[in-house]
Amino acid sequence: MRALPIAVTVLAAALALTSCDDSGGSKTDEAGKTDKSASTDCRVDHVGIEVGPANAAPAAGDTGNVPVTLTNRDSTCTLKGFPGLEVHAGGDSTDIAPEKSANPVKLTLAKNDTATFTITYVRGEKGDAKTFDAQTLKISLPGATATQDFKWSYGPVAGKNEAADLNASVSPFQHAGD
């Protein structure tokens, strides 16, 4: 009869290990449905976002920096990687790519903690075919599609080879003050 308690213990341990996904955030019930309420990822509708004040590029060819600050307004959550950034002009849109050499770390934000990231861009010449005349910035958080929209008031953004290939990048998240 000793084999039964050991088998039950092994089965219980196996079930406990399968109750979380790889991120440790979502749970799966017996029917295979995922419970997203257990996720610890920060959600864009639960953070306050402040864009700027910026060190805007004053003329075509100059580099500008736009700091963005996120304040967690809810329970503890995590950020890892880069924000999703998209700029819009009329019916056109294009992404701002992550910094290629950056190594993002996982940040845990308690309620009212802040994190920042920076958008670096080269100002384009208005009317140039390689310039994207950005008007709106859409920000999303890793693993989500919901966005918050902000007015882009820092001038047109230069493209590398064409307007859709922006000469711009975004840094990974870091704790404010780091």
Side-chain angles (χ1 to χ4, degrees):
M1 291 301 286
R2 288 193 110 175
L4 183 59
I6 292 173
V8 170
T9 303
V10 169
L11 179 61
L15 288 173
L17 289 174
T18 61
S19 69
C20 291
D21 66 4
D22 291 342
S23 68
S26 298
K27 294 181 182 174
T28 305
D29 66 11
E30 305 83 53
K33 295 179 184 170
T34 301
D35 175 13
K36 296 289 185 188
S37 65
S39 176
T40 61
D41 292 341
C42 293
R43 294 179 30 189
V44 76
D45 58 336
H46 291 187
V47 297
I49 300 177
E50 180 182 347
V51 178
N55 174 20
D62 291 340
T63 300
N65 296 297
V66 182
V68 180
T69 304
L70 290 81
T71 303
N72 182 20
R73 305 265 185 238
D74 203 3
S75 58
T76 300
C77 65
T78 58
L79 293 168
K80 178 158 171 91
F82 297 87
L85 299 180
E86 198 174 78
V87 285
H88 289 253
D92 296 326
S93 67
T94 190
D95 294 332
I96 296 177
E99 286 180 5
K100 290 181 182 176
S101 63
N103 293 316
V105 296
K106 184 177 180 179
L107 300 180
T108 300
L109 300 179
K111 186 173 184 173
N112 297 319
D113 275 354
T114 57
T116 64
F117 61 87
T118 302
I119 303 165
T120 302
Y121 73 100
V122 175
R123 187 170 182 142
E125 184 72 41
K126 190 158 182 77
D128 185 335
K130 290 184 181 179
T131 295
F132 191 83
D133 192 19
Q135 299 164 354
T136 305
L137 171 67
K138 291 185 176 276
I139 299 173
S140 65
L141 299 181
T145 57
T147 63
Q148 282 193 29
D149 299 357
F150 299 88
K151 179 180 169 95
W152 179 268
S153 58
Y154 312 109
V157 181
K160 295 175 188 171
N161 299 310
E162 61 181 341
D165 182 21
L166 296 180
N167 194 349
S169 64
V170 60
S171 70
F173 298 104
Q174 61 181 10
H175 275 289
D178 285 350

